[in-house]
Amino acid sequence: MRNQLTILFALIFIACNAQSSKDTEIWEPVPKKVYSSSDSSAPDDAIVLFDGKDLSKWKAKWGGKESEWQINDDGSVTVVFDGTGGIQTIENFGSVQLHLEWKTSEDLSHKLQDRSNSGVFLQNRYEIQILDSYDNPTYVNGQAGSVYKQHIPLVNASRKPGEWQSYDIIFEAPEFNDDGEKTKSGYFTVFHNGILIQNHVEILGTTENVGPPKNIAHGDAPISLQNHCCTQISFRNIWVRKL
Ligand code: MG
């Protein structure tokens, strides 16, 4: 009888402690269904910032007027060097996934930082460089795909002048406390033409051309596209998803 009880208790013990695959299954919350018809079109939960028709989601960076960048018949927009600093979204954003496509000029009369230089700024402060870096050596922390003056791209994924290229950017916004101190760094992950070029790199502060990065407290802010100089650059198919 004692042996039978011992076996019974052992079986109960095993039954109570046996692990099951169900122990580690998580069923809720269920991720929301989102549909995208291709890997570059805006998913159905995205905010389309430029669809080829107009710049109604944007304004000039300096002066706040409507942008005069040139809308083209092929659904792209070309930078006009009008001294307005570029364009910025009317809406403010925090952490986002951002898709944009850009094309550098086949006019090779300029070089270095003057060849189709633009840039996409998250929160108007943190620049991923846009530049013709196909055959245009420059300082590598300022070539296409760099977090400007902070992080060199892992590889140079640049296409030839005149060919459309894409950026897919994951931006984690920095956080600040009420005393203006940074409590959490921001991060960038960037794919250039589908190739990983920035792998969750820490944003050290504002991407300054001169001097070290700055860390002045801020909240959500516009996404902006730079109007630098010299040779043309065009954009198309720009959309963003809030994270
Ligand atoms: Mg730039």
Side-chain angles (χ1 to χ4, degrees), residues 28-175:
E28 288 184 326
V30 178
K32 186 177 72 169
K33 287 183 180 176
V34 175
Y35 178 74
S36 174
S37 59
S38 78
D39 58 4
S40 61
S41 67
D44 58 11
D45 66 344
I47 298 168
V48 176
L49 295 176
F50 177 65
D51 64 0
K53 298 189 181 77
D54 60 56
L55 287 170
S56 58
K57 301 277 177 65
W58 304 78
K59 62 182 179 182
K61 191 165 181 177
W62 299 336
K65 295 179 182 169
E66 276 184 32
S67 172
E68 295 184 1
W69 285 11
Q70 174 191 316
I71 308 284
N72 305 306
D73 292 339
D74 66 357
S76 65
V77 60
T78 299
V79 177
V80 175
F81 300 117
D82 55 3
T84 56
I87 59 173
Q88 68 179 34
T89 56
I90 293 167
E91 185 171 351
N92 293 326
F93 294 96
S95 298
V96 293
Q97 173 188 350
L98 175 66
H99 174 90
L100 69 157
E101 297 170 26
W102 49 277
K103 182 176 71 171
T104 59
S105 173
E106 293 176 274
D107 172 3
L108 305 182
S109 60
H110 292 73
K111 59 182 182 178
L112 296 163
Q113 293 285 312
D114 289 341
R115 189 179 288 181
S116 292
N117 189 339
S118 182
V120 54
F121 287 73
L122 280 295
Q123 296 192 320
N124 251 345
R125 292 166 173 83
Y126 311 113
E127 180 184 14
I128 301 296
Q129 174 70 303
I130 292 173
L131 188 73
D132 175 5
S133 287
Y134 181 74
D135 185 17
N136 179 36
T138 183
Y139 49 95
V140 294
N141 60 350
Q143 72 178 65
S146 61
V147 179
Y148 189 73
K149 295 268 181 92
Q150 295 185 21
H151 296 287
I152 301 159
L154 295 169
V155 295
N156 183 350
S158 298
R159 291 180 180 155
K160 290 178 181 174
E163 293 185 13
W164 282 102
Q165 313 197 45
S166 66
Y167 276 163
D168 288 281
I169 298 171
I170 297 155
F171 169 69
E172 294 177 37
E175 295 176 6

Side-chain angles (χ1 to χ4, degrees), residues 191-232:
F191 294 85
H192 183 184
N193 299 327
I195 299 168
L196 182 69
I197 59 164
Q198 299 287 356
N199 187 8
H200 200 254
V201 294
E202 182 178 2
I203 301 168
L204 306 177
T206 52
T207 49
E208 302 290 330
N209 185 33
V210 179
K214 296 185 176 75
N215 285 283
I216 299 168
H218 63 85
D220 290 358
I223 294 166
S224 55
L225 298 173
Q226 189 182 43
N227 176 345
H228 191 274
C229 83
C230 307
T231 49
Q232 291 294 2

